[in-house]
C-alpha cells in the first residue's frame, strides 16, 4: 500500500504538477479560481513567501507581488522574523519575510535590483553543490549579494530529499553545506531550509541534525501563518512563482 501510494504520488508529481511547474503562467491560471475563496491577510500573522528562479520576463510580476505584500504590512528580515516568533518584536498585523531557494543567477540580475528598489530584505537558501555550475550563481555572485546586505542560509549540498538518505549522508548535507557557505562567504550560517520541505521530505532526524549543527531555524514549505511562540525550528513558508496572478498568490498567502 505504502509503495503504491508512493508510486501514485510520484506519477502525479511527474505528470500534471511538473507540466504546470514548467509553465508557471498556466499554473497560476489553474490556481487562481481557488483564490476567490481566500483573501490576502489582514490580521496579525507572520508570512514567509518564497520563490525560486525569477526569469527577467517576470521581473514586473515579482515587483507587483512585493508591492502587494508591502501594502498589507512590513517586510522584515529573517532576524526580525525570528524576533517576532520569540516575542521580542510586536506583531500587530500581517508581516512578511521573503526568501529564495536553490542557486539562481537571476537572484543577482533580476531579483536584487527589485528588492533594493523596494527596500525589501531577503534570505537566499543556497544549495552549495550547484554553485559554480553552468546556469547557476558563482561564489563571487553570492559574495556580491552578501555585500548588498542580503542574508544566506543553507539548502543542503545536493538538494536530494533528506528523508531518502542514510544517516551519514543526511548529516553531511546539513552540516557540510553550512561550513562551505561560511568558508566561502565569511559569514555565519544559522538558518536551514529543507529541500521540498513537506512532511515526507524530512523528519525528527533532520530536525535534530540541524540543531546539532548549530542552526537556529529550520524552514519547511508548509504554509500556515506563524505567530509569537511558534518554533523557529519549524518555519512554514508559502511557495510562490512570480508569474502567478495575485489570485493564485491568495491560495498560498491568506489568513
Ligand atoms: Zn529547493
Amino acid at each position: 500500500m505504502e509503495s503504491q501510494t508512493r508510486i501514485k504520488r510520484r506519477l502525479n508529481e511527474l505528470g500534471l504538477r511538473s507540466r504546470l511547474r514548467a509553465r508557471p503562467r498556466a499554473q497560476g491560471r489553474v490556481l487562481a479560481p481557488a483564490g476567490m475563496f481566500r483573501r490576502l491577510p489582514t490580521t496579525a500573522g507572520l508570512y514567509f513567501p518564497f520563490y525560486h528562479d525569477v526569469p527577467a520576463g517576470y521581473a514586473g510580476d515579482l515587483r507587483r507581488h512585493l508591492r502587494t505584500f508591502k501594502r498589507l504590512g512590513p517586510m522584515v528580515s529573517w532576524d526580525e522574523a525570528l524576533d517576532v516568533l520569540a516575542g521580542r518584536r510586536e506583531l500587530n498585523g500581517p508581516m512578511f519575510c521573503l526568501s529564495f531557494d536553490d542557486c539562481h543567477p537571476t537572484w543577482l540580475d533580476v531579483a536584487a535590483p527589485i528588492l533594493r528598489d523596494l527596500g525589501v530584505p531577503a534570505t537566499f537558501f543556497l544549495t552549495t553543490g550547484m554553485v559554480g555550475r553552468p546556469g547557476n550563481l558563482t561564489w563571487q555572485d553570492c559574495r556580491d549579494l552578501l555585500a548588498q546586505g542580503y542574508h544566506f542560509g543553507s539548502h543542503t549540498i545536493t538538494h536530494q530529499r533528506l528523508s531518502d538518505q542514510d544517516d551519514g549522508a543526511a548529516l553531511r548535507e546539513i552540516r557540510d553545506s553550512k561550513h562551505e557557505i561560511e568558508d566561502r562567504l565569511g559569514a555565519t550560517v544559522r538558518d536551514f531550509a529543507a529541500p521540498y520541505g513537506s512532511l515526507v521530505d524530512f523528519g525528527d532526524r533532520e530536525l535534530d541534525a540541524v540543531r546539532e549543527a548549530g542552526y537556529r531555524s529550520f524552514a519547511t514549505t508548509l504554509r500556515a501563518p506563524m505567530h509569537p511562540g511558534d518554533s523557529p525550528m519549524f518555519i512554514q513558508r508559502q511557495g510562490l512563482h512570480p508569474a502567478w496572478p495575485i489570485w493564485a498568490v491568495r491560495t498560498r498567502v491568506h489568513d
Side-chain angles (χ1 to χ4, degrees), residues 1-10 200:
M1 277 304 281
E2 170 60 27
S3 68
Q4 263 194 350
T5 314
R6 261 180 189 236
I7 290 163
K8 260 193 199 162
R9 199 181 65 218
R10 194 78 200 116
V200 295

Side-chain angles (χ1 to χ4, degrees), residues 50 52 101-102 104 125 127 130 155 159 193-196 237:
F50 79 102
H52 294 91
D101 284 10
D102 303 344
H104 300 284
F125 286 104
T127 302
M130 292 179 176
H155 195 43
H159 204 283
Y196 312 104
R237 298 187 299 160

